[in-house]
Amino acid sequence: MHNTKTYVKLQQHYAKQQTKTLKDLFNQEPDRAEKFNLKVNGLNLDYAKNNITSTTVDLLLELAQEVNIVDKIKAMFHGQKLNNTENRAVLHTALRSKAQSIMVDGVNVMQPITAVLERMKNFAHKLHQNIHLGYSGKNITDIVNIGIGGSDLGPNFVCEALKPFRKNNLNVHFISSVDGYHILDCLNSLNHETTLFVIASKTFTTQETITNAHTARNWFLNKTNNNKAAIKNHFIAASTNTQAVKEFGIDPDNMFEFWDFVGGRYSLWSAIGISIILYIGFDNFEQLLSGARDMDQHFLNTTDLTKNMPVILALIGIWYINFYNYSALVISPYNTRLKKFPAYIQQLEMESNGKSLDKYGNSINYKTCPIIWGDSGINGQHAYYQLLHQGTSIYPMDIILALSDKYSNLEHNQILQANAIAQAEAFMVGKTFDQAKAELIQQNYQGQNIDMLAKHKMFNGNRPTNLLTFNEISPNTIGNLVALYEHKTFVQGIIWQINSFDQWGVELGKQLAKTILHDIQQQKASEHDSSTTKIINSCIHNK
Amino acid sequence: MHNTKTYVKLQQHYAKQQTKTLKDLFNQEPDRAEKFNLKVNGLNLDYAKNNITSTTVDLLLELAQEVNIVDKIKAMFHGQKLNNTENRAVLHTALRSKAQSIMVDGVNVMQPITAVLERMKNFAHKLHQNIHLGYSGKNITDIVNIGIGGSDLGPNFVCEALKPFRKNNLNVHFISSVDGYHILDCLNSLNHETTLFVIASKTFTTQETITNAHTARNWFLNKTNNNKAAIKNHFIAASTNTQAVKEFGIDPDNMFEFWDFVGGRYSLWSAIGISIILYIGFDNFEQLLSGARDMDQHFLNTTDLTKNMPVILALIGIWYINFYNYSALVISPYNTRLKKFPAYIQQLEMESNGKSLDKYGNSINYKTCPIIWGDSGINGQHAYYQLLHQGTSIYPMDIILALSDKYSNLEHNQILQANAIAQAEAFMVGKTFDQAKAELIQQNYQGQNIDMLAKHKMFNGNRPTNLLTFNEISPNTIGNLVALYEHKTFVQGIIWQINSFDQWGVELGKQLAKTILHDIQQQKASEHDSSTTKIINSCIHNK
C-alpha cells in the first residue's frame, strides 16, 4: 500500500483533514446525512459521522482502483486461487450462489455444493418430521454442536440471533473449549435418548473437538450399555474425513462435506451450518444464504464504487488505521440477539488480516488489521464507554441496530434506539467546558470547585461512528450483514496486499502444545526456557 | 507522571531495553523464572516473560515510590476521600474487612456493613431452607438478577465461575439490556410461582434496570390476577431508595443497602452480591470476601514493593502502555468457568482509568488505560490469536489458569494446560525463517516456493505474557483474583494521577438519550446534526 501513488496523496490530504472536527464538517456541509449514506438490500449505512469529506472518499476510491479492486472481486467470485500460500480458491460465495457453474481445476464446484445442500435439507426434514429419531424411538429435543473457531462462532452467533425462528422448540448447545467442565456440565443437563451431537471438524482431527467428541461418545455409550449401533442415531458430522467419521460410528450418509475453498471463518454457509439448519429449518437457512447472495451481487456488480457498501466500509477502516493510526474498532450491536456478532467479526477480520507480510512473503511497513472487539452496546455504555468518551485514545465504532422488533415491545425498543442514536451523537459533539460549567450553574451547583468539576464533565467529542440499521433481525438481514463484513475484510486485505485466507499464525502454538502435553503426560519437562519449565513442573505436581 | 523524576530515567532505560528480545533476556538470565515470580495466597504470578530486567523493576518501583503509593494505599483503606470529584471515600475493601472500625465523616461504616451482611445472610437462610416461599407456597427455583454495568458483570461472572457451588440446584439468570427481547425471552422460560427477582440499582432509577423491573412486575401481576400483595414474595432489591422500593411493592425488609463509598464496578462485595449469596450460599460468599481480604492484607502490608503483586502487575502495565506504547491488554482465562472474567476486568479498568484529565482537572499528555479485551483463551487460539502472533502490533496478554479441576477430567485438563503454556512459550520464542524452512525440508516439501512459504510460517515472537495460576477455582481464589485486579487498577490510577473512582464519561450519552427518546415518543426530531435527525426520523416512521 505504501508503494501506491495514491498513498502519498492521501497522506497530504490527511495532514489537512486531521485538523477538522466532525462538528466542523457538519457545520460546513449540512447535507452530509444524504451524501454519506448507502442503502443496500434494506441495510442502511450512515457514514456521515466520520472524519471524511468527498475528497477523502474520492482519494480512498482511487486507492481501491489502483489495487484493481474490481478485478480482484471478480477473481474471487470466479474461483481464482487467491489463497496463494495454500494454492486454493476462495469460494464461500459459491456456497450461496445460484450460478450453474463455477469451475475450479476443471471441476464445477456447484455440483457438490448443491448435492450437500440437498442432503442437509433431507436430513433436517427427517429430524423435524420426527422420522429421524433417537435409538429408543424418541424425538430429538437437543442439538449439541461440538466445534471450535469457525466451526463454533458462526453457527453460535446465527442460532442465537435467530432463536425466534427455531423449529420444534429445539434447544441448541455449543461446546467449543477443551476444558472438560464445559462438556461435562452440558452433558449433565441432557437426556441421551433425545440428543443429537454434531461433530464439526473438517479433518476430524482438531484436538479440542475430537477430545470433546470422544467424551460425548463415551457418555452416550455409558448410558446405553455400550450400544455402538445406536451412535448413528445420535451423532452426525460436518467433515471430509469419511474414514475417521465411520470409525467413530457415524453413518457416512450423515456426514456432510465441505471443501478446501471454504475457510473455517467463512464456513457457516457450508456443512458447518448444519446446526443452524437443524435449529431454524432449511427454509430459513435458504433465506440466510439469500441475504448473503444479495450482498454478493451488490458487491460484485456495483462497479460505481462510491455506492459499493463493503468497499466504502473497508476504506473508512483504512483511513483510520493507516492515516489516523487508530488501533482498534469497536463493534456495538444494540440488539441482545446480536450479542455474539462482535466475537464473530473478531475472528473474521483478525484471523483474515492479522498479518505482517504481503502475500509474496515480503515484510510490510504499514499497519494491517486493528483489534476488533465489543459487546452489546447498551451494556458497553455501563462498562467501557467511559474510556471511549474520555480516554486518551480514539477508537471508531460500528453501531448496529434493528429498527423494529416484534419480539421486543415499543417502550423497550424506543429506549434502546434512543440510546444507540444518542451515543453516536455524543461521541461526535462532545461537551465543552463552557457548556459543562453553564449546566452546573443552572443546576444551582454551590461547591467551590465548579471549574474543576466542569473540566471533568467535559467531552472532546470528535469520535467517529458508523451506524448500520435495518428493519428487523431475520435470516435474510443476518445473511446480508455477515456478507457485508466478509467483503469489507476482503477489500482491506487487497489494499494491504496480504493473503486474507491463510492462518499460519495458529500453527506454532499447536506445535508447541504437542511437546508440552507429552511432557506433562510423561511427567518430565523437555528443553524449554526456565519459566516454561517451571510451570510444566507445577502441572506435573498438581495433577 | 511525566512530571516525575523517574520518568526520564525510565525513558533512558527504555531506549536500551527495547532493543533486547525476551529470548535474549532468558539466555542472559536463566534464573528469570525464580526472580520474576510471586506467590501470594495460593495465586502464582510468573512475570518472567516480560521485556524487563531487574533495573526495569527497580526503576518502576522508584516511580511508584515517587507518587507515594504506600501512603495512597493506606489512605484508601482508611477511608480518605480519594474520589475527589464526588467527595467520596473509596471503601470496597471495608466490605470484606474484619476491622472493628473504619471511620468516614465521624461514622463507623463497619456497623452498617455488618448489619446488611447479617440481613442478607438471614434472607438467604430463609430462602435456602424454604422458609421464604413463593406466594402460592412453592419453593423458589430461579433467581433473576435485573441490573446493568457493575450490578450485572460482577454477580454474573462470579455465579458462572462458581456454578459447582450452587445451593438447592437453583438457576440464576441475568437481565441487563433494555432490549425487550432479553427479558421477554427469559420470562417465557420461567414459572412466576417459583421465581425471585433481584432488582439491583442503587438509586432505583437506572433507566434500563427500572424499565426491566416494571416489565417483570407487569408479567408477574398479569400471571397472578393483579395480586399486588404477592410482589413481596417475588421481588427484592439491592438499593438505597427506600421510598421507590416500597412503592414498587418490595418489602423494605428485603431491601439491602449499600453506600456512596462503593462504586458500581467495585460493588459485588456489597448488597449487589445478594444474587451471588442466593446462588452459592452465604458461607461461600464469606469465602469470596475472605479471598479478597487476603489480597487486601497483602496489598496493604507488603511494603517491600518488590513482593507486592498488585503493584508489580500494575507497573508492568505502565511499562508497556507508557514506554512501549502498546495500546491493549488481552485477558485470556483458559478455564471456561472464567469466560466472563475479561468482561468484568474490562469494566473495572476501562471505567476506572479511561480518563484524560488528572484528578485536579488538568489535561495530561500521556496514555492512560489501554483497551482491555479477551475471551476464553483456548477459543481465542482458534479466532484472534492469528493477529496476536503475526499481526503488525504487539499486545501483551495475561493468561489465567487453574491447575487442577475436579469438575473436569485429567485428559481434558492436561490438554488445556498444555495449550495455555504453549501459547506463552510461542508468543515469546517465535520461529525464525531458517527454522521454518528446515521444517519444510524435513516434511519433504516439494513446492518451488519454499522460501515464500517459510516466510509465512515465521513468527517474530518477543510477545510478552503474564501467567497467573492457582490450584483450583473456588470462592476464595475468585475473591483473591478480583481483588488483585482491583488493586492493580488503583496503583495505575495513582501513577497516572487520575481519579479512578468517578465516571463522568457516562453522563453525556444518558443526557442526549433523554432528548432523543422524547423526540421519538413525540414523533418530532428536535435540533440535531443532519445525520442524527435522519435516523430519528427513521425510528419514528418504523415504529
Side-chain angles (χ1 to χ4, degrees), chain B residues 473-494:
Chain B
I473 300 172
S474 71
N476 197 282
T477 51
I478 294 299
N480 229 292
L481 188 65
V482 172
L484 168 65
Y485 278 86
E486 284 181 350
H487 297 325
K488 170 206 165 181
T489 305
F490 176 82
V491 173
Q492 293 191 334
I494 295 297

Side-chain angles (χ1 to χ4, degrees), chain B residues 278-393:
Chain B
L278 296 177
Y279 191 55
I280 63 171
F282 191 79
D283 49 342
N284 284 315
F285 187 72
E286 275 195 315
Q287 283 301 308
L288 184 79
L289 297 182
S290 156
R293 182 165 59 246
D294 291 345
M295 186 53 73
D296 293 344
Q297 292 301 314
H298 164 76
F299 182 51
L300 179 63
N301 297 328
T302 311
T303 48
D304 174 1
L305 297 181
T306 57
K307 305 235 177 321
N308 193 311
M309 194 184 281
V311 171
I312 291 292
L313 200 58
L315 292 174
I316 294 168
I318 295 286
W319 182 231
Y320 290 134
I321 299 156
N322 297 113
F323 298 91
Y324 279 81
N325 203 25
Y326 295 158
S327 61
L329 171 68
V330 190
I331 308 281
S332 283
Y334 268 70
N335 307 76
T336 305
R337 300 211 278 304
L338 306 182
K339 191 175 159 54
K340 295 215 164 79
F341 190 62
Y344 180 77
I345 296 302
Q346 194 169 56
Q347 181 193 22
L348 174 63
E349 297 202 24
M350 293 176 77
E351 195 163 75
S352 295
N353 290 338
K355 316 269 164 84
S356 52
L357 298 177
D358 72 14
K359 57 188 300 181
Y360 310 107
N362 306 308
S363 286
I364 54 186
N365 56 353
Y366 43 86
K367 298 269 166 154
T368 58
C369 188
I371 296 171
I372 309 287
W373 65 286
D375 196 347
S376 150
I378 194 104
N379 292 77
Q381 289 178 200
H382 293 262
Y384 48 79
Y385 273 37
Q386 160 68 40
L387 179 144
L388 301 177
H389 279 292
Q390 293 191 321
T392 47
S393 299

Side-chain angles (χ1 to χ4, degrees), chain B residues 2-20:
Chain B
H2 281 199
N3 56 8
T4 58
K5 279 185 264 173
T6 321
Y7 177 76
V8 179
K9 289 195 214 169
L10 274 161
Q11 268 197 313
Q12 290 162 350
H13 173 63
Y14 167 71
K16 279 180 278 177
Q17 185 64 19
Q18 63 158 328
T19 63
K20 295 180 193 160

Side-chain angles (χ1 to χ4, degrees), chain B residues 11 90 121 172 271 274 367 446 471 486 498:
Chain B
Q11 268 197 313
V90 175
K121 178 180 176 176
V172 66
I274 183 70
K367 298 269 166 154
Q446 301 292 342
N471 195 40
E486 284 181 350
I498 59 184

Side-chain angles (χ1 to χ4, degrees), chain A residues 30 46 49 163 176 178-179 185 208 215 336 356 379 386 390 412 425 431 471 505 511 528 530-531 542, chain B residues 30 46 49 163 176 178-179 185 215 336 356 379 382 386 390 412 425 431 471 505 511 528 530-531 542:
Chain A
D46 171 5
K49 291 193 180 90
K163 185 176 171 193
S176 50
V178 75
D179 179 347
D185 184 52
E208 292 86 346
T215 297
T336 305
S356 51
N379 291 76
Q386 160 67 41
Q390 294 191 320
H412 283 259
E425 189 182 30
K431 186 186 280 187
N471 195 41
Q511 191 180 17
H528 305 274
S530 60
S531 151
N542 243 289
Chain B
D46 170 7
K49 291 193 181 91
K163 185 177 171 191
S176 50
V178 76
D179 179 347
D185 184 52
T215 296
T336 305
S356 52
N379 292 77
H382 293 262
Q386 160 68 40
Q390 293 191 321
H412 282 260
E425 189 181 31
K431 185 186 279 187
N471 195 40
Q511 191 180 17
H528 305 274
S530 60
S531 152
N542 244 290

Side-chain angles (χ1 to χ4, degrees), chain A residues 2-14:
Chain A
H2 281 199
N3 56 8
T4 59
K5 279 185 261 170
T6 321
Y7 177 76
V8 179
K9 290 193 214 169
L10 274 161
Q11 267 195 315
Q12 290 162 349
H13 173 63
Y14 167 71

